Amino acid sequence: MAERDPIDLIKDQLTQWERLGELNADHDLFKQWLAESRTILEKAFSPRSTHCQNFGALKFREVNIKGFDSPEVQRINSARFKRDLDQAKAILLSALKELTLDRTLFKKLQTTAKTVEVSLKGEYFISSGITDQALRKAIELSFEGSGLTPVAHSSGEEPISLSQRIDQIRRIRIGIFDLTPPGRERSLIELGIALGLGKEVILLSKKGVELPEMVEALPRVEYETPADLTPHLKKKIP
């Protein structure tokens, strides 16, 4: 499992929170977010902490009996879902504030963890601009053990529409984009979509390739051959 700063993890969960409002308590994406948020709080503090107790008390539904399902019950459950979702955000913000204060005000007596071991689930996206199968295999090897799986139908062997690519990128946690010609144009388009959706990205490029100025500040991994990419990329994967 990778070790990450709990402050960064909670910020990631808050970013994902923005996209949960149109879901419901039974949606798989919400269930994954809920489980991960609970795990992060438990590891950053403790299961008996106020943050964890308050988070665990949230139910996200008023009525849990499917036999009584009706438009009225759906309306009641929807209202409870949104109310508890707002409360969940408040708890995460409170936890984030405590972690930040602990770092800045109580450096000598820090009581919260600087890093926690996590294995978060989700998907990653390999740009369709990456058509070299050896390079794609090197990327897949980098993600082994991360808990992340490749987006379905993103093999790079079959062309997909722009709307399909947007749908794929919307689901991911992280995207890999190679800005080495000849696939740079497609990678740049997909990179723009990922950044617009607030996704985490990692850029690849062959050594010596000059990147556009506007993306120079983004996380980047240089490689000479696919064989030497895997260990370098693995270090960048959260």
Side-chain angles (χ1 to χ4, degrees), residues 15-49:
T15 298
Q16 294 180 54
W17 179 93
E18 302 291 342
R19 299 188 287 272
L20 299 176
E22 301 303 316
L23 306 181
N24 57 60
D26 294 316
H27 198 285
D28 287 342
L29 288 179
F30 167 73
K31 289 180 179 178
Q32 178 178 312
W33 177 88
L34 183 66
E36 290 175 353
S37 297
R38 185 181 294 114
T39 297
I40 293 166
L41 289 174
E42 288 178 352
K43 287 179 175 288
F45 301 95
S46 78
R48 295 184 179 181
S49 68

mmCIF file of all heavy atoms in Angstrom, residues 15-49:
data_model
loop_
_atom_site.group_PDB
_atom_site.id
_atom_site.type_symbol
_atom_site.label_atom_id
_atom_site.label_comp_id
_atom_site.label_asym_id
_atom_site.label_seq_id
_atom_site.Cartn_x
_atom_site.Cartn_y
_atom_site.Cartn_z
ATOM 1 N N THR A 15 -12.597 17.176 -3.189
ATOM 2 C CA THR A 15 -12.742 17.438 -4.622
ATOM 3 C C THR A 15 -13.789 16.509 -5.232
ATOM 4 O O THR A 15 -14.637 16.928 -6.032
ATOM 5 C CB THR A 15 -11.392 17.262 -5.341
ATOM 6 O OG1 THR A 15 -10.459 18.211 -4.827
ATOM 7 C CG2 THR A 15 -11.544 17.487 -6.839
ATOM 8 N N GLN A 16 -13.740 15.240 -4.837
ATOM 9 C CA GLN A 16 -14.729 14.279 -5.348
ATOM 10 C C GLN A 16 -16.126 14.584 -4.828
ATOM 11 O O GLN A 16 -17.123 14.316 -5.506
ATOM 12 C CB GLN A 16 -14.324 12.863 -4.938
ATOM 13 C CG GLN A 16 -13.037 12.369 -5.577
ATOM 14 C CD GLN A 16 -12.692 10.963 -5.124
ATOM 15 O OE1 GLN A 16 -13.508 10.048 -5.238
ATOM 16 N NE2 GLN A 16 -11.500 10.795 -4.600
ATOM 17 N N TRP A 17 -16.221 15.138 -3.632
ATOM 18 C CA TRP A 17 -17.520 15.466 -3.019
ATOM 19 C C TRP A 17 -18.361 16.338 -3.944
ATOM 20 O O TRP A 17 -19.589 16.191 -4.001
ATOM 21 C CB TRP A 17 -17.276 16.182 -1.692
ATOM 22 C CG TRP A 17 -18.524 16.597 -0.971
ATOM 23 C CD1 TRP A 17 -19.206 15.895 -0.016
ATOM 24 C CD2 TRP A 17 -19.253 17.824 -1.143
ATOM 25 N NE1 TRP A 17 -20.308 16.588 0.413
ATOM 26 C CE2 TRP A 17 -20.361 17.782 -0.261
ATOM 27 C CE3 TRP A 17 -19.092 18.930 -1.952
ATOM 28 C CZ2 TRP A 17 -21.289 18.819 -0.183
ATOM 29 C CZ3 TRP A 17 -20.016 19.977 -1.875
ATOM 30 C CH2 TRP A 17 -21.097 19.907 -0.990
ATOM 31 N N GLU A 18 -17.703 17.217 -4.699
ATOM 32 C CA GLU A 18 -18.416 18.134 -5.579
ATOM 33 C C GLU A 18 -19.256 17.400 -6.622
ATOM 34 O O GLU A 18 -20.224 17.955 -7.144
ATOM 35 C CB GLU A 18 -17.418 19.060 -6.300
ATOM 36 C CG GLU A 18 -16.528 19.880 -5.376
ATOM 37 C CD GLU A 18 -17.291 20.941 -4.611
ATOM 38 O OE1 GLU A 18 -18.410 21.274 -5.032
ATOM 39 O OE2 GLU A 18 -16.779 21.432 -3.592
ATOM 40 N N ARG A 19 -18.895 16.159 -6.925
ATOM 41 C CA ARG A 19 -19.589 15.418 -7.979
ATOM 42 C C ARG A 19 -20.600 14.404 -7.445
ATOM 43 O O ARG A 19 -21.149 13.610 -8.207
ATOM 44 C CB ARG A 19 -18.557 14.706 -8.858
ATOM 45 C CG ARG A 19 -17.589 15.653 -9.542
ATOM 46 C CD ARG A 19 -16.720 14.932 -10.539
ATOM 47 N NE ARG A 19 -15.716 14.106 -9.886
ATOM 48 C CZ ARG A 19 -14.522 14.545 -9.520
ATOM 49 N NH1 ARG A 19 -14.193 15.798 -9.724
ATOM 50 N NH2 ARG A 19 -13.648 13.739 -8.950
ATOM 51 N N LEU A 20 -20.847 14.426 -6.133
ATOM 52 C CA LEU A 20 -21.727 13.419 -5.537
ATOM 53 C C LEU A 20 -23.172 13.880 -5.395
ATOM 54 O O LEU A 20 -24.052 13.075 -5.127
ATOM 55 C CB LEU A 20 -21.202 13.015 -4.149
ATOM 56 C CG LEU A 20 -19.802 12.398 -4.101
ATOM 57 C CD1 LEU A 20 -19.395 12.142 -2.656
ATOM 58 C CD2 LEU A 20 -19.732 11.118 -4.915
ATOM 59 N N GLY A 21 -23.418 15.168 -5.558
ATOM 60 C CA GLY A 21 -24.741 15.720 -5.269
ATOM 61 C C GLY A 21 -25.878 15.125 -6.074
ATOM 62 O O GLY A 21 -27.015 15.062 -5.594
ATOM 63 N N GLU A 22 -25.582 14.681 -7.302
ATOM 64 C CA GLU A 22 -26.639 14.129 -8.161
ATOM 65 C C GLU A 22 -26.786 12.621 -8.013
ATOM 66 O O GLU A 22 -27.607 12.012 -8.716
ATOM 67 C CB GLU A 22 -26.345 14.477 -9.627
ATOM 68 C CG GLU A 22 -26.257 15.962 -9.919
ATOM 69 C CD GLU A 22 -27.514 16.707 -9.512
ATOM 70 O OE1 GLU A 22 -28.611 16.205 -9.797
ATOM 71 O OE2 GLU A 22 -27.398 17.793 -8.914
ATOM 72 N N LEU A 23 -26.036 12.027 -7.102
ATOM 73 C CA LEU A 23 -26.111 10.576 -6.903
ATOM 74 C C LEU A 23 -27.078 10.257 -5.769
ATOM 75 O O LEU A 23 -27.856 11.083 -5.342
ATOM 76 C CB LEU A 23 -24.715 10.018 -6.609
ATOM 77 C CG LEU A 23 -23.622 10.357 -7.629
ATOM 78 C CD1 LEU A 23 -22.299 9.715 -7.235
ATOM 79 C CD2 LEU A 23 -24.031 9.939 -9.026
ATOM 80 N N ASN A 24 -27.027 9.031 -5.269
ATOM 81 C CA ASN A 24 -27.841 8.614 -4.125
ATOM 82 C C ASN A 24 -27.043 7.622 -3.296
ATOM 83 O O ASN A 24 -25.932 7.225 -3.665
ATOM 84 C CB ASN A 24 -29.179 8.011 -4.584
ATOM 85 C CG ASN A 24 -28.985 6.827 -5.522
ATOM 86 O OD1 ASN A 24 -28.381 5.822 -5.178
ATOM 87 N ND2 ASN A 24 -29.505 6.960 -6.733
ATOM 88 N N ALA A 25 -27.614 7.196 -2.185
ATOM 89 C CA ALA A 25 -26.889 6.347 -1.241
ATOM 90 C C ALA A 25 -26.568 4.958 -1.794
ATOM 91 O O ALA A 25 -25.731 4.250 -1.238
ATOM 92 C CB ALA A 25 -27.687 6.221 0.054
ATOM 93 N N ASP A 26 -27.222 4.560 -2.883
ATOM 94 C CA ASP A 26 -26.990 3.238 -3.459
ATOM 95 C C ASP A 26 -26.014 3.263 -4.628
ATOM 96 O O ASP A 26 -25.675 2.216 -5.174
ATOM 97 C CB ASP A 26 -28.315 2.624 -3.936
ATOM 98 C CG ASP A 26 -29.259 2.336 -2.779
ATOM 99 O OD1 ASP A 26 -28.780 1.803 -1.765
ATOM 100 O OD2 ASP A 26 -30.459 2.650 -2.891
ATOM 101 N N HIS A 27 -25.575 4.427 -5.028
ATOM 102 C CA HIS A 27 -24.699 4.528 -6.191
ATOM 103 C C HIS A 27 -23.291 4.023 -5.832
ATOM 104 O O HIS A 27 -22.758 4.344 -4.773
ATOM 105 C CB HIS A 27 -24.617 5.975 -6.666
ATOM 106 C CG HIS A 27 -24.114 6.114 -8.072
ATOM 107 N ND1 HIS A 27 -22.788 5.956 -8.405
ATOM 108 C CD2 HIS A 27 -24.763 6.390 -9.227
ATOM 109 C CE1 HIS A 27 -22.635 6.135 -9.702
ATOM 110 N NE2 HIS A 27 -23.809 6.400 -10.230
ATOM 111 N N ASP A 28 -22.689 3.254 -6.732
ATOM 112 C CA ASP A 28 -21.381 2.652 -6.459
ATOM 113 C C ASP A 28 -20.298 3.698 -6.227
ATOM 114 O O ASP A 28 -19.419 3.505 -5.374
ATOM 115 C CB ASP A 28 -20.970 1.734 -7.620
ATOM 116 C CG ASP A 28 -21.770 0.439 -7.648
ATOM 117 O OD1 ASP A 28 -22.376 0.098 -6.614
ATOM 118 O OD2 ASP A 28 -21.793 -0.225 -8.698
ATOM 119 N N LEU A 29 -20.332 4.794 -6.981
ATOM 120 C CA LEU A 29 -19.316 5.827 -6.807
ATOM 121 C C LEU A 29 -19.413 6.469 -5.423
ATOM 122 O O LEU A 29 -18.399 6.751 -4.777
ATOM 123 C CB LEU A 29 -19.455 6.906 -7.892
ATOM 124 C CG LEU A 29 -19.021 6.502 -9.299
ATOM 125 C CD1 LEU A 29 -19.253 7.661 -10.266
ATOM 126 C CD2 LEU A 29 -17.569 6.068 -9.337
ATOM 127 N N PHE A 30 -20.651 6.675 -4.953
ATOM 128 C CA PHE A 30 -20.823 7.237 -3.618
ATOM 129 C C PHE A 30 -20.356 6.246 -2.554
ATOM 130 O O PHE A 30 -19.676 6.633 -1.594
ATOM 131 C CB PHE A 30 -22.285 7.599 -3.350
ATOM 132 C CG PHE A 30 -22.559 7.890 -1.904
ATOM 133 C CD1 PHE A 30 -22.107 9.063 -1.314
ATOM 134 C CD2 PHE A 30 -23.229 6.957 -1.108
ATOM 135 C CE1 PHE A 30 -22.317 9.312 0.028
ATOM 136 C CE2 PHE A 30 -23.452 7.216 0.239
ATOM 137 C CZ PHE A 30 -22.993 8.385 0.803
ATOM 138 N N LYS A 31 -20.706 4.972 -2.704
ATOM 139 C CA LYS A 31 -20.295 3.963 -1.727
ATOM 140 C C LYS A 31 -18.778 3.890 -1.625
ATOM 141 O O LYS A 31 -18.216 3.750 -0.534
ATOM 142 C CB LYS A 31 -20.865 2.597 -2.117
ATOM 143 C CG LYS A 31 -22.381 2.465 -1.934
ATOM 144 C CD LYS A 31 -22.835 1.080 -2.356
ATOM 145 C CE LYS A 31 -24.324 0.901 -2.159
ATOM 146 N NZ LYS A 31 -24.786 -0.435 -2.605
ATOM 147 N N GLN A 32 -18.102 3.980 -2.776
ATOM 148 C CA GLN A 32 -16.640 3.943 -2.781
ATOM 149 C C GLN A 32 -16.081 5.162 -2.060
ATOM 150 O O GLN A 32 -15.173 5.043 -1.231
ATOM 151 C CB GLN A 32 -16.135 3.920 -4.229
ATOM 152 C CG GLN A 32 -14.623 3.930 -4.351
ATOM 153 C CD GLN A 32 -14.176 3.861 -5.794
ATOM 154 O OE1 GLN A 32 -14.652 3.038 -6.573
ATOM 155 N NE2 GLN A 32 -13.265 4.737 -6.186
ATOM 156 N N TRP A 33 -16.640 6.339 -2.344
ATOM 157 C CA TRP A 33 -16.189 7.581 -1.699
ATOM 158 C C TRP A 33 -16.404 7.512 -0.189
ATOM 159 O O TRP A 33 -15.537 7.905 0.587
ATOM 160 C CB TRP A 33 -16.946 8.758 -2.288
ATOM 161 C CG TRP A 33 -16.609 10.081 -1.658
ATOM 162 C CD1 TRP A 33 -15.610 10.926 -2.020
ATOM 163 C CD2 TRP A 33 -17.270 10.691 -0.543
ATOM 164 N NE1 TRP A 33 -15.596 12.027 -1.209
ATOM 165 C CE2 TRP A 33 -16.608 11.911 -0.283
ATOM 166 C CE3 TRP A 33 -18.351 10.351 0.257
ATOM 167 C CZ2 TRP A 33 -16.987 12.784 0.741
ATOM 168 C CZ3 TRP A 33 -18.733 11.201 1.288
ATOM 169 C CH2 TRP A 33 -18.053 12.401 1.518
ATOM 170 N N LEU A 34 -17.549 6.987 0.216
ATOM 171 C CA LEU A 34 -17.879 6.889 1.631
ATOM 172 C C LEU A 34 -16.901 5.978 2.358
ATOM 173 O O LEU A 34 -16.376 6.327 3.424
ATOM 174 C CB LEU A 34 -19.308 6.367 1.790
ATOM 175 C CG LEU A 34 -19.857 6.269 3.217
ATOM 176 C CD1 LEU A 34 -20.003 7.656 3.827
ATOM 177 C CD2 LEU A 34 -21.220 5.553 3.208
ATOM 178 N N ALA A 35 -16.640 4.810 1.785
ATOM 179 C CA ALA A 35 -15.731 3.855 2.419
ATOM 180 C C ALA A 35 -14.314 4.413 2.507
ATOM 181 O O ALA A 35 -13.629 4.264 3.529
ATOM 182 C CB ALA A 35 -15.737 2.539 1.636
ATOM 183 N N GLU A 36 -13.875 5.072 1.450
ATOM 184 C CA GLU A 36 -12.528 5.629 1.447
ATOM 185 C C GLU A 36 -12.394 6.771 2.447
ATOM 186 O O GLU A 36 -11.390 6.883 3.155
ATOM 187 C CB GLU A 36 -12.170 6.107 0.044
ATOM 188 C CG GLU A 36 -11.978 4.964 -0.941
ATOM 189 C CD GLU A 36 -11.736 5.433 -2.347
ATOM 190 O OE1 GLU A 36 -11.840 6.665 -2.586
ATOM 191 O OE2 GLU A 36 -11.433 4.609 -3.217
ATOM 192 N N SER A 37 -13.408 7.629 2.516
ATOM 193 C CA SER A 37 -13.371 8.749 3.466
ATOM 194 C C SER A 37 -13.296 8.231 4.897
ATOM 195 O O SER A 37 -12.532 8.750 5.724
ATOM 196 C CB SER A 37 -14.606 9.639 3.291
ATOM 197 O OG SER A 37 -14.634 10.227 2.011
ATOM 198 N N ARG A 38 -14.086 7.210 5.194
ATOM 199 C CA ARG A 38 -14.077 6.622 6.541
ATOM 200 C C ARG A 38 -12.695 6.036 6.865
ATOM 201 O O ARG A 38 -12.166 6.224 7.960
ATOM 202 C CB ARG A 38 -15.159 5.554 6.646
ATOM 203 C CG ARG A 38 -15.312 4.965 8.058
ATOM 204 C CD ARG A 38 -16.377 3.899 8.104
ATOM 205 N NE ARG A 38 -17.708 4.439 7.853
ATOM 206 C CZ ARG A 38 -18.446 4.151 6.791
ATOM 207 N NH1 ARG A 38 -17.979 3.305 5.867
ATOM 208 N NH2 ARG A 38 -19.640 4.664 6.638
ATOM 209 N N THR A 39 -12.105 5.333 5.898
ATOM 210 C CA THR A 39 -10.787 4.734 6.105
ATOM 211 C C THR A 39 -9.726 5.794 6.358
ATOM 212 O O THR A 39 -8.882 5.656 7.259
ATOM 213 C CB THR A 39 -10.382 3.898 4.869
ATOM 214 O OG1 THR A 39 -11.313 2.819 4.707
ATOM 215 C CG2 THR A 39 -8.981 3.331 5.033
ATOM 216 N N ILE A 40 -9.764 6.871 5.594
ATOM 217 C CA ILE A 40 -8.781 7.950 5.755
ATOM 218 C C ILE A 40 -8.898 8.585 7.139
ATOM 219 O O ILE A 40 -7.894 8.819 7.819
ATOM 220 C CB ILE A 40 -8.968 9.007 4.652
ATOM 221 C CG1 ILE A 40 -8.604 8.418 3.285
ATOM 222 C CG2 ILE A 40 -8.124 10.250 4.942
ATOM 223 C CD1 ILE A 40 -9.069 9.240 2.110
ATOM 224 N N LEU A 41 -10.121 8.855 7.582
ATOM 225 C CA LEU A 41 -10.319 9.456 8.906
ATOM 226 C C LEU A 41 -9.834 8.529 10.015
ATOM 227 O O LEU A 41 -9.202 8.970 10.980
ATOM 228 C CB LEU A 41 -11.799 9.797 9.107
ATOM 229 C CG LEU A 41 -12.344 10.957 8.283
ATOM 230 C CD1 LEU A 41 -13.851 11.093 8.483
ATOM 231 C CD2 LEU A 41 -11.649 12.267 8.633
ATOM 232 N N GLU A 42 -10.115 7.242 9.873
ATOM 233 C CA GLU A 42 -9.701 6.283 10.897
ATOM 234 C C GLU A 42 -8.184 6.180 10.979
ATOM 235 O O GLU A 42 -7.610 6.048 12.070
ATOM 236 C CB GLU A 42 -10.307 4.907 10.598
ATOM 237 C CG GLU A 42 -11.810 4.847 10.851
ATOM 238 C CD GLU A 42 -12.395 3.499 10.492
ATOM 239 O OE1 GLU A 42 -11.664 2.663 9.909
ATOM 240 O OE2 GLU A 42 -13.593 3.268 10.774
ATOM 241 N N LYS A 43 -7.500 6.251 9.835
ATOM 242 C CA LYS A 43 -6.049 6.134 9.830
ATOM 243 C C LYS A 43 -5.374 7.425 10.254
ATOM 244 O O LYS A 43 -4.317 7.413 10.888
ATOM 245 C CB LYS A 43 -5.560 5.709 8.442
ATOM 246 C CG LYS A 43 -5.851 4.248 8.107
ATOM 247 C CD LYS A 43 -5.357 3.899 6.725
ATOM 248 C CE LYS A 43 -5.537 2.410 6.437
ATOM 249 N NZ LYS A 43 -4.605 1.581 7.189
ATOM 250 N N ALA A 44 -5.977 8.568 9.910
ATOM 251 C CA ALA A 44 -5.377 9.857 10.258
ATOM 252 C C ALA A 44 -5.585 10.192 11.730
ATOM 253 O O ALA A 44 -4.750 10.849 12.348
ATOM 254 C CB ALA A 44 -5.965 10.959 9.385
ATOM 255 N N PHE A 45 -6.684 9.724 12.313
ATOM 256 C CA PHE A 45 -6.995 10.001 13.719
ATOM 257 C C PHE A 45 -7.087 8.662 14.459
ATOM 258 O O PHE A 45 -6.107 8.030 14.737
ATOM 259 C CB PHE A 45 -8.282 10.818 13.823
ATOM 260 C CG PHE A 45 -8.191 12.134 13.103
ATOM 261 C CD1 PHE A 45 -8.641 12.278 11.797
ATOM 262 C CD2 PHE A 45 -7.630 13.246 13.717
ATOM 263 C CE1 PHE A 45 -8.531 13.489 11.126
ATOM 264 C CE2 PHE A 45 -7.516 14.466 13.067
ATOM 265 C CZ PHE A 45 -7.971 14.582 11.757
ATOM 266 N N SER A 46 -8.306 8.204 14.722
ATOM 267 C CA SER A 46 -8.540 6.875 15.282
ATOM 268 C C SER A 46 -10.032 6.607 15.155
ATOM 269 O O SER A 46 -10.824 7.548 15.057
ATOM 270 C CB SER A 46 -8.121 6.790 16.750
ATOM 271 O OG SER A 46 -9.101 7.397 17.579
ATOM 272 N N PRO A 47 -10.444 5.325 15.157
ATOM 273 C CA PRO A 47 -11.881 5.030 15.042
ATOM 274 C C PRO A 47 -12.717 5.670 16.141
ATOM 275 O O PRO A 47 -13.916 5.877 15.963
ATOM 276 C CB PRO A 47 -11.925 3.500 15.118
ATOM 277 C CG PRO A 47 -10.572 3.060 14.629
ATOM 278 C CD PRO A 47 -9.624 4.106 15.132
ATOM 279 N N ARG A 48 -12.094 5.990 17.294
ATOM 280 C CA ARG A 48 -12.847 6.577 18.401
ATOM 281 C C ARG A 48 -12.819 8.106 18.393
ATOM 282 O O ARG A 48 -13.408 8.730 19.278
ATOM 283 C CB ARG A 48 -12.277 6.083 19.731
ATOM 284 C CG ARG A 48 -12.450 4.582 19.934
ATOM 285 C CD ARG A 48 -11.953 4.164 21.304
ATOM 286 N NE ARG A 48 -12.131 2.730 21.530
ATOM 287 C CZ ARG A 48 -11.808 2.110 22.652
ATOM 288 N NH1 ARG A 48 -11.269 2.814 23.655
ATOM 289 N NH2 ARG A 48 -12.000 0.820 22.780
ATOM 290 N N SER A 49 -12.151 8.696 17.416
ATOM 291 C CA SER A 49 -12.077 10.152 17.353
ATOM 292 C C SER A 49 -13.448 10.755 17.051
ATOM 293 O O SER A 49 -14.346 10.084 16.519
ATOM 294 C CB SER A 49 -11.090 10.581 16.271
ATOM 295 O OG SER A 49 -11.589 10.259 14.991
#
